[in-house]
Amino acid sequence: MPQDAHHDSGKQRSPRDVKSAASLLQKEARRILRRHAARIGEVAAEAIRASVAAIDTHRAAKDWVTLESDVEQLDELLQQHAAFARKSALREMIESVLFAFAVAMFLRSAFYEPFKIPSGSMKPTLREGDHIFVNKFRYGVQIPFTSTILAPDLVDGVGRGEVIVFRYPLDTSEDFIKRVIGLPGDSIRVDGGDIWIKRPDDESFEKVLRRALDEPCENTAGPCKLFEETIDGRTYMVRYMTDGEPRSDQRDRVLTVPPDHVLVFGDNRNESMDSLRWQAKVEAVSASRLLSMKDLRDLTSESVFSVSRSSEGVVAEDPLRDGVQYLANRRAPEHDLRLDLWRKPTLGVQAVFAGILEELGESERLTVRELADRDPSMGVLERDRTIEVGLSIDTLAVAQDDSGRTAVFTLEPSKAVFRLRCGASTCASAGSLATRIADVLRSYQRDHARPAREMLEQAPDIRYARHWRSRDLRRDRFLDARFLAPGANADSGSAQQIRLRAWRHPEEGAAVVRSAALRSVGATRDTAEALATQGGDLWRVADDQSITHVLVDATNDVVILLECGRRHCATRSDADTLLDTVRGRIPAAAADRRKLRSLLTPEDLPTAEAHSIRLPDQYEWERIALDATVRGGAHFVRLAVRLRPAEGLGAAIATWRNELAHGATASDGPTPGAWHSQTAAGGHQFVFGVAETKTAISLQCGVGLCPDLDTALALAKRVAAKATDETGFVDHAATRAQPYVPRGNIKGRAERIWLPTHRFWKEIR
């Protein structure tokens, strides 16, 4: 007992005070005997032991008066014989404070900790300034001031959807609070406000459920919207801003969570410094600086490439590793699609149909059913649907050559003619052509006025350049002038009429127009009379009613169909004279659309009367052409680079060499000690090192870009030359995404929030 705590005989102590004093003195006496018995002496030590024993005896008997006397006796013995070893009041106070602080720190570090929300990144769940209670025992006891978890297997692991407090990976002196979205092994895809998760055992991504709420969203920075999100049975609210585009780091991004890490988002999705935004400054290697698109254009036969990061041989978390993949964008006519459509053609549906087939060459007449029956690989449902749609076709002809298939078909009720060209890969079978025909028909039948450019469905894995010719104004492209003999009418026979039809710059093809024009008057090139002409071709068809000329002026890109009735053109000389009049005006009409009407005027025919013909304002023909560009396939280059590998340059090269599927042979082509392998598809791969910068390199080139060893070797040598200078491909101040929270950085789960309006700690959702 301290010297100033002697018993005052004038005051009676309570049994509680006596017991407390006895315990403190006994503890102090035992400590002194244990440490200083030899210095005190045997006699004094024995007296102290006897006094301690007497206290135990009288305490057990609840003899408080005698016990108080024993306490005073022990205090005097300690003061007399061991004053040098007794603690002062100040020392006792300091030790008590330190002990209490240690206990508090242990509890705070290992079990529970209060936390104040520093920002609005977790709105609407948590607001700036809120006080929360963090359960640190939930994920295991953490040794204070370390990231070590004791017995982590004995407690529940971190769960998706839980709110956690953790040390910021880029600055562990800061504490962050976010919501767990991804666990180790998860792949998380983010695109704007949508999130998908592919768990380690899943084969595909599953979209996280999200439902818009009608609750008002409080925000001073702009309009926002609240949503209810559910993940693994946990439902909570998140907030998105609605006045702009998603952040660039939230657009179609996929992240795979490594072992012993988690991925976290803030509930205030557009305004949270979370996993999607974290960037760390690192020394990083850039594979694209060792092989550029200019190098590929210089050394290969292709000129247009697309580039992407390659995962082959690359560890995303290691900035000293990088990979790049180049895919050539090459024209692929075998995937092309083209659709021509004639609506109510002036020459007639069957004349246009026959004219197309004449220029197409050998073709086969059949039905959609017969076409589908030739492809046993078609599914029953697809076949039935295709045949059902194909029943609306009146005539169908199909031609095939090495580069693809062409279908020409008509719909008589709507007076439409279609020509569908399909590349050999897109329509590799008769069934695939039948399906394409059905797709076009469905689109047309939904809306007969729909533009042709909306009737072709593009393959999702092929890039197309779209070229279309919409329906021009008829007056700019076509002339239909009719003149009647005096007293005749529109129903009079052809002998009483003169009719001129002229096509100015016919993009559907002058040959097709020529053949269709001949068909419209009941002739073909085999039955019509071919006449000598300069700069084109000229055909004559004569009967007892009229003399008809079909002229193709290739020089001026004009086609003329001139029908002259016998009443005006009694002889061929009369018809030739009228044709010469028209031919002389063709150059002016070809150069100026406004002079198309001047090809034949009433002044040229004083004995005939002009008869107006009502025609649609738009020209009859239009086209959509999809020119396919295929990316990659056998036309690729993959480059993987490792700078200063930890296991050594030789070991890194040996690892890649052993992974070559078809073995490797020594090659000193790019650098001494290089290895070469030819792939199963015929391409080439080199593995080599650059000693000057301690860089390991793997280069693989597909057979499409590297059909021979020399091309692949030239690429490898170009890479090796650039890799000798580290400044050319190493960025010493680069930034890399560092989106994951190490398991050891997690301090605990946020479980409760103090809300004064609720008067209690409220559970955090």
Side-chain angles (χ1 to χ4, degrees):
M1 181 181 295
Q3 297 177 23
D4 57 356
H6 285 282
H7 174 58
D8 184 350
S9 57
K11 295 181 180 180
Q12 181 66 39
R13 290 185 177 181
S14 67
R16 182 178 179 181
D17 292 338
V18 173
K19 286 190 293 181
S20 177
S23 296
L24 290 173
L25 281 172
Q26 281 184 309
K27 183 178 179 181
E28 185 179 18
R30 291 188 179 105
R31 178 182 62 80
I32 292 172
L33 289 172
R34 186 171 58 253
R35 297 181 180 179
H36 306 288
R39 183 175 176 183
I40 293 173
E42 185 176 349
V43 176
E46 189 59 35
I48 293 173
R49 291 189 187 98
S51 182
V52 170
I55 288 175
D56 287 335
T57 300
H58 295 121
R59 186 175 186 174
K62 298 183 179 181
D63 185 353
W64 310 121
V65 176
T66 307
L67 180 61
E68 185 175 6
S69 177
D70 292 339
V71 169
E72 292 177 354
Q73 181 183 357
L74 179 57
D75 186 28
E76 291 175 358
L77 286 171
L78 292 175
Q79 187 63 28
Q80 180 180 355
H81 301 289
F84 65 89
R86 302 191 74 180
K87 296 180 181 178
S88 66
L90 177 61
R91 181 179 173 186
E92 283 212 22
M93 182 184 69
I94 293 174
E95 287 185 355
S96 297
V97 171
L98 290 177
F99 177 76
F101 177 76
V103 171
M105 288 301 296
F106 177 77
L107 292 175
R108 188 176 189 272
S109 178
F111 294 96
Y112 302 100
E113 180 180 357
F115 190 82
K116 184 177 180 180
I117 303 302
S119 69
S121 68
M122 285 296 292
K123 290 181 179 178
T125 305
L126 300 171
R127 300 176 182 274
E128 185 176 359
D130 283 348
H131 293 271
I132 65 171
F133 199 50
V134 179
N135 184 346
K136 308 186 78 172
F137 185 69
R138 175 78 181 186
Y139 304 138
V141 177
Q142 192 172 51
I143 298 176
F145 311 110
T146 73
S147 60
T148 303
I149 307 295
L150 297 178
D153 297 334
L154 300 180
V155 294
D156 293 336
V158 180
R160 299 181 188 88
E162 294 182 343
V163 178
I164 63 171
V165 173
F166 56 92
R167 287 183 287 274
Y168 180 36
L170 304 185
D171 183 358
T172 55
S173 65
E174 294 186 52
D175 288 339
F176 274 28
I177 180 168
K178 306 292 177 190
R179 191 178 298 277
V180 176
I181 299 297
L183 298 179
D186 288 348
S187 290
I188 309 297
R189 180 187 169 197
V190 182
D191 192 6
D194 295 322
I195 301 173
W196 293 262
I197 297 179
K198 185 170 73 172
R199 295 167 175 81
D201 297 330
D202 293 346
E203 295 183 357
S204 59
F205 283 90
E206 177 183 352
K207 192 172 184 179
V208 173
L209 297 177
R210 194 180 67 160
R211 180 176 67 89
L213 299 176
D214 295 330
E215 300 180 27
C217 178
E218 297 180 9
N219 186 46
T220 57
C224 60
K225 181 72 174 175
L226 296 181
F227 294 86
E228 188 176 72
E229 197 170 271
T230 301
I231 180 172
D232 286 3
R234 291 185 176 88
T235 299
Y236 48 89
M237 286 197 299
V238 296
R239 184 175 81 160
Y240 283 90
M241 306 301 295
T242 59
D243 60 346
E245 294 293 326
R247 292 180 350 213
S248 59
D249 51 44
Q250 292 178 332
R251 295 175 186 167
D252 201 11
R253 186 176 177 188
V254 178
L255 303 99
T256 300
V257 186
D260 298 321
H261 289 71
V262 297
L263 184 79
V264 295
F265 290 172
D267 288 350
N268 192 3
R269 292 289 162 81
N270 300 108
E271 299 181 329
S272 173
M273 177 58 72
D274 54 28
S275 286
L276 294 176
R277 284 190 169 182
W278 297 340
Q279 296 280 333
K281 185 174 288 188
V282 296
E283 180 185 48
V285 60
S286 175
S288 59
R289 295 185 181 182
L290 292 176
L291 186 66
S292 66
M293 291 188 185
K294 181 179 183 304
D295 297 326
L296 293 170
R297 288 193 291 268
D298 289 345
L299 302 175
T300 71
S301 59
E302 296 294 337
S303 58
V304 180
F305 296 87
S306 58
V307 60
S308 63
R309 310 313 299 173
S310 171
S311 60
E312 185 171 336
V314 179
V315 177
E317 289 73 28
D318 186 355
L320 297 183
R321 296 188 182 192
D322 192 27
V324 66
Q325 177 173 261
Y326 293 97
L327 302 177
N329 298 328
R330 59 183 181 83
R331 273 285 289 122
E334 67 273 14
H335 292 284
D336 285 354
L337 282 167
R338 189 182 72 188
L339 176 65
D340 295 78
L341 173 56
W342 286 262
R343 304 173 196 260
K344 298 180 180 179
T346 185
L347 296 174
V349 168
Q350 288 304 318
V352 172
F353 178 80
I356 295 171
L357 293 186
E358 184 175 333
E359 297 307 314
L360 190 60
E362 185 177 351
S363 62
E364 181 181 10
R365 296 286 188 100
L366 69 171
T367 65
V368 170
R369 178 185 293 275
E370 292 170 336
L371 199 60
D373 286 343
R374 295 182 180 182
D375 189 354
S377 65
M378 285 188 74
V380 175
L381 183 60
E382 180 186 7
R383 177 183 178 277
D384 291 345
R385 289 177 176 175
T386 299
I387 292 174
E388 181 181 3
V389 176
L391 293 175
S392 61
I393 293 177
D394 293 288
T395 51
L396 169 65
V398 175
Q400 182 175 353
D401 53 42
D402 293 340
S403 59
R405 302 170 188 260
T406 301
V408 184
F409 52 96
T410 66
L411 300 180
E412 287 286 359
S414 57
K415 294 182 171 54
V417 183
F418 299 81
R419 177 172 59 187
L420 175 64
R421 175 67 180 176
C422 194
S425 293
T426 300
C427 290
S429 65
S432 59
L433 177 61
T435 300
R436 284 283 179 180
I437 293 172
D439 290 340
V440 170
L441 284 175
R442 289 190 192 95
S443 181
Y444 177 77
Q445 289 169 352
R446 283 194 291 268
D447 180 6
H448 287 188
R450 173 173 291 187
R453 64 176 179 268
E454 298 179 7
M455 296 183 189
L456 282 184
E457 295 184 6
Q458 301 180 192
D461 55 341
I462 297 176
R463 307 181 77 186
Y464 288 99
R466 295 171 59 87
H467 309 284
W468 68 80
R469 167 59 69 181
S470 298
R471 300 175 67 184
D472 294 332
L473 290 175
R474 184 179 292 270
R475 65 174 180 266
D476 296 339
R477 295 279 304 278
F478 178 71
L479 172 68
D480 192 345
R482 182 183 294 182
F483 301 87
L484 301 178
N489 56 45
D491 296 328
S492 300
S494 59
Q496 306 295 320
Q497 302 182 30
I498 299 171
R499 188 175 185 182
L500 171 65
R501 279 172 280 189
W503 289 262
R504 177 177 176 268
H505 307 317
E507 294 188 30
E508 62 266 52
V512 170
V513 174
R514 182 262 329 271
S515 296
L518 288 172
R519 292 280 183 170
S520 71
V521 294
T524 67
R525 281 183 293 168
D526 293 332
T527 61
E529 179 185 0
L531 304 176
T533 186
Q534 188 175 4
D537 56 62
L538 177 62
W539 306 84
R540 176 186 292 152
V541 179
D543 57 28
D544 58 353
Q545 294 292 312
S546 62
I547 299 175
T548 300
H549 286 98
V550 177
L551 169 66
V552 178
D553 187 332
T555 303
N556 295 291
D557 193 20
V558 172
V559 179
I560 297 294
L561 171 59
L562 178 61
E563 301 172 78
C564 187
R566 287 290 186 175
R567 183 168 177 177
H568 185 84
C569 297
T571 65
R572 293 185 177 183
S573 177
D574 295 335
D576 291 343
T577 300
L578 184 61
L579 178 63
D580 288 341
T581 299
V582 174
R583 291 180 70 177
R585 298 168 181 171
I586 287 178
D592 187 348
R593 60 178 177 78
R594 294 171 297 181
K595 295 184 178 181
L596 192 60
R597 292 181 175 275
S598 65
L599 286 173
L600 190 63
T601 66
E603 289 74 16
D604 299 319
L605 303 168
T607 61
E609 298 177 355
H611 178 77
S612 61
I613 302 175
R614 184 173 180 81
L615 297 172
D617 292 335
Q618 290 183 306
Y619 186 57
E620 62 194 42
W621 172 87
E622 59 182 314
R623 168 185 292 165
I624 173 64
L626 303 181
D627 294 342
T629 298
V630 175
R631 178 185 296 176
H635 294 66
F636 71 89
V637 173
R638 297 190 188 104
L639 178 65
V641 182
R642 291 190 62 187
L643 179 67
R644 300 190 294 273
E647 69 272 31
L649 183 60
I653 294 173
T655 299
W656 273 341
R657 180 195 65 202
N658 294 334
E659 292 174 355
L660 295 177
H662 292 78
T665 57
S667 170
D668 288 338
T671 61
W675 297 88
H676 168 260
S677 174
Q678 188 164 9
T679 65
H684 299 273
Q685 185 167 3
F686 283 97
V687 173
F688 57 95
V690 178
E692 292 88 340
T693 55
K694 297 181 181 178
T695 303
I697 297 171
S698 171
L699 183 144
Q700 182 181 0
C701 185
V703 66
L705 284 180
C706 297
D708 52 61
L709 178 60
D710 290 342
T711 303
L713 183 58
L715 289 171
K717 286 183 175 180
R718 181 72 60 90
V719 172
K722 290 186 176 183
T724 58
D725 182 6
E726 186 175 299
T727 61
F729 68 100
V730 179
D731 186 352
H732 296 280
T735 57
R736 289 289 185 272
Q738 190 169 323
Y740 310 111
V741 179
R743 174 65 182 84
N745 280 32
I746 300 176
K747 302 179 73 172
R749 188 173 81 172
E751 292 187 341
R752 303 280 172 177
I753 176 175
W754 175 253
L755 296 176
T757 56
H758 289 71
R759 300 175 60 190
F760 297 103
W761 292 97
K762 180 184 176 183
E763 183 178 1
I764 296 175
R765 293 176 60 186

